[in-house]
Amino acid sequence: MIEQINITTGKAYTGGNISNLLEAGFTSNEWATYRQWQGENMQVQRGQKGTRITKMVKIICKKENKQKLVPRYYTVFNAEQVAPIEEVATAAK
């Protein structure tokens, strides 16, 4: 099985996120959020649907003065769903 990688952090996705990403059916193993792709001068193509992932984030509960893990949900897009911004701008003209 090929690791599914975030293109900006270089980290591999873990846990149930791997199956979510593999079920999306893309051959590329590179993923990122909409804003991460924009930071790479790439634009998500019109009409593309993202894949939902979950990341557990540590927060500090002020009432109990403890750290807790809280799920945060993100939508990521595969490298096959994006194009360089220049190509998108040219196609729109």
Side-chain angles (χ1 to χ4, degrees):
M1 178 172 56
I2 297 173
E3 286 187 326
Q4 303 300 303
I5 306 289
N6 181 285
I7 57 111
T8 58
T9 65
K11 294 182 181 180
Y13 291 97
T14 59
N17 290 330
I18 296 170
S19 60
N20 288 349
L21 298 175
L22 290 173
E23 286 175 7
F26 295 102
T27 57
S28 173
N29 69 331
E30 297 177 321
W31 298 84
T33 64
Y34 184 86
R35 287 192 177 169
Q36 287 174 327
W37 281 121
Q38 283 187 320
E40 298 291 320
N41 283 332
M42 301 292 276
Q43 178 65 49
V44 174
Q45 296 172 2
R46 185 179 305 265
Q48 293 295 318
K49 303 288 185 216
T51 303
R52 194 77 178 250
I53 62 166
T54 306
K55 181 177 180 180
M56 298 304 284
V57 179
K58 289 181 187 178
I59 64 164
I60 297 175
C61 181
K62 292 182 181 180
K63 287 182 181 178
E64 301 171 18
N65 202 20
K66 290 183 183 178
Q67 279 191 356
K68 290 185 176 183
L69 286 176
V70 177
R72 296 286 187 236
Y73 302 97
Y74 298 91
T75 301
V76 292
F77 296 89
N78 190 275
E80 295 175 22
Q81 296 177 285
V82 298
I85 289 178
E86 303 83 43
E87 288 181 19
V88 175
T90 305
K93 290 182 179 180

